[in-house]
Amino acid sequence: QDRRVRRAISYGLDFEWSNKALFHGMYKRTRSFFDNSEMSARDLPKGEERKILNRLRDKLPPEVLTKAYEPPKTDGSGKLRHNLRTAAKLLKESGWNVDPNTRKLVFGKTGTPFVFEVLLISPLFERIVLPFKKNLARLGIDVLVRTVDTAQYRERLTKFDYDMVVGTWGQSLSPG
């Protein structure tokens, strides 16, 4: 439930390395759902959009109105120490600490280890997820990668029985 934890996890994904090493530089990182269109969130909200968001200010994270979204970036070398340090700081602020005996990340109040599962529908996605898993392991996070058949994948999606999936959403240039 803590946004800082989700943000910390995002620092473990080295998009630039994956794009270079696995996809020959063919992809561009998106910053919003409607990226590369007139509806893209490029800068801070202004005009009518800002007026609407101002009315919802008490329900929004403060940075929505003060900082344009940028996903974490690396130099593509596969060395993301700076990103992992940022992630570790966010996790510590959220109450997570590395257990000195196990070197695993645990929640300070309960001692619960940080473990989550990435559910996959195809082993082809493993080449993307396994480096992500390795990066998060450096933080003490256990990532379980499970590839299941189509029927089980659909069933688990329907029941929201997953922690993380590799997924896509079709879109057009007009919302709705």
Side-chain angles (χ1 to χ4, degrees), residues 21-173:
L22 304 175
F23 304 114
H24 310 289
M26 293 177 25
Y27 290 98
K28 179 181 176 237
R29 185 101 186 245
T30 58
R31 293 177 51 229
S32 76
F33 185 77
F34 293 105
D35 210 23
N36 203 28
S37 81
E38 64 186 36
M39 294 174 284
S40 175
R42 290 184 184 93
D43 300 309
L44 290 175
K46 48 189 169 257
E48 189 65 28
E49 180 183 16
R50 188 167 188 91
K51 287 179 190 173
I52 292 167
L53 292 172
N54 270 327
R55 291 193 302 257
L56 302 169
R57 183 182 288 262
D58 61 326
K59 296 179 175 141
L60 295 171
E63 63 270 15
V64 168
L65 295 165
T66 61
K67 187 176 178 189
Y69 173 73
E70 278 294 331
K73 290 184 179 167
T74 69
D75 64 6
S77 68
K79 298 175 181 152
L80 65 162
R81 183 177 181 170
H82 176 74
N83 284 31
L84 294 179
R85 288 178 67 120
T86 302
K89 181 180 175 202
L90 289 166
L91 291 164
K92 189 169 185 71
E93 289 172 5
S94 303
W96 293 90
N97 300 296
V98 175
D99 181 311
N101 298 321
T102 64
R103 303 291 305 149
K104 298 292 182 182
L105 200 63
V106 295
F107 193 63
K109 294 178 183 175
T110 63
T112 306
F114 196 141
V115 179
F116 71 92
E117 179 183 80
V118 179
L119 183 66
L120 301 176
I121 193 170
S122 168
L124 295 174
F125 292 122
E126 290 174 8
R127 69 186 189 136
I128 301 163
V129 175
L130 292 177
F132 177 55
K133 171 184 174 159
K134 180 181 169 193
N135 293 338
L136 293 178
R138 291 176 61 193
L139 293 168
I141 298 173
D142 259 340
V143 178
L144 310 171
V145 179
R146 177 166 301 169
T147 304
V148 296
D149 62 49
T150 305
Q152 186 177 7
Y153 185 82
R154 286 279 153 223
E155 178 72 12
R156 289 190 59 185
L157 281 184
T158 302
K159 293 182 175 180
F160 296 96
D161 182 19
Y162 59 89
D163 298 318
M164 183 182 284
V165 296
V166 174
T168 59
W169 290 272
Q171 63 185 29
S172 70
L173 290 178

